[in-house]
Amino acid sequence: MISNRTFTMIKPDAVEKGYTGAILNKINASGFRIVSMKMTQLSRRDAELFYAIHKDRPFFGDLVAFMSRGPIVAAVLEKDNAVNDFRTLIGSTNPEEAAVGTIRKLYASSVGENAVHGSDSDENAVIESQFHFSGREMF
Ligand code: IDP
Ligand code: MG
């Protein structure tokens, strides 16, 4: 995996509300190529593992319940400066603080249910992509 890739999930809140297509359009229109993509659902154990870095935070239980309550869309994305540019495209964790036009400003409802995930580093992009996809699923 090279550093022009990032990993995203369209979270259960956004899938439930029918925002999947609009979010994917915005991702493509912003210059990201979809390398891998699937609709799937995290088990509680999957969510605990994916978000293990947050296990001591007060919101961890809510986060695990939220992320495992329904389907998500997981994808690997490619673009120059993918990690940073995707974090800019999604906006701040709290949608009330997210810039106008960002995915979270448009589609998130709260700091917890915030529509999309984006990797925070090249290293985590690799770890998170490999959590969901094998090498032969990356195009
Ligand atoms: P990020 O998704 O913008 O990188 P992180 O701080 O890594 O934000 O938190 C991971 C996820 O945990 C957030 O996207 C959100 O779903 C949830 N979360 C973060 N902070 C809070 C909080 O203060 N209350 C409830 N949920 C939170
Ligand atoms: Mg994060």
Side-chain angles (χ1 to χ4, degrees):
M1 181 79 58
I2 46 177
S3 62
N4 59 351
R5 290 184 175 181
T6 191
F7 173 77
T8 187
M9 295 181 286
I10 302 176
K11 296 185 177 183
D13 59 323
V15 174
E16 285 160 9
K17 291 173 182 163
Y19 293 149
T20 300
I23 291 171
L24 290 173
N25 273 340
K26 195 158 177 65
I27 289 170
N28 275 147
S30 302
F32 292 87
R33 186 179 77 80
I34 296 171
V35 173
S36 296
M37 184 168 67
K38 65 181 157 197
M39 180 175 266
T40 185
Q41 184 163 355
L42 298 176
S43 66
R44 288 190 61 94
R45 182 70 184 138
D46 292 333
E48 286 168 1
L49 289 171
F50 188 91
Y51 283 110
I53 193 168
H54 295 303
K55 67 177 165 30
D56 296 326
R57 306 285 288 277
F59 58 81
F60 185 67
D62 288 344
L63 177 60
V64 168
F66 163 54
M67 286 301 299
S68 60
R69 81 172 182 218
I72 62 162
V73 174
V76 179
L77 306 174
E78 189 172 81
K79 181 184 181 295
D80 287 349
N81 202 32
V83 166
N84 290 329
D85 285 4
F86 194 71
R87 294 289 302 200
T88 300
L89 178 65
I90 69 178
S92 300
T93 307
N94 184 346
E96 289 179 10
E97 294 164 10
V100 172
T102 59
I103 291 174
R104 283 170 166 167
K105 188 66 167 186
L106 288 165
Y107 300 114
S109 43
S110 68
V111 65
E113 302 203 4
N114 59 4
V116 282
H117 169 81
S119 305
D120 63 4
S121 66
D122 290 343
E123 182 189 17
N124 283 335
V126 172
I127 292 168
E128 293 170 0
S129 296
Q130 291 178 348
F131 185 93
H132 285 272
F133 297 101
S134 68
R136 58 176 290 280
E137 294 175 294
M138 299 205 198
F139 303 96

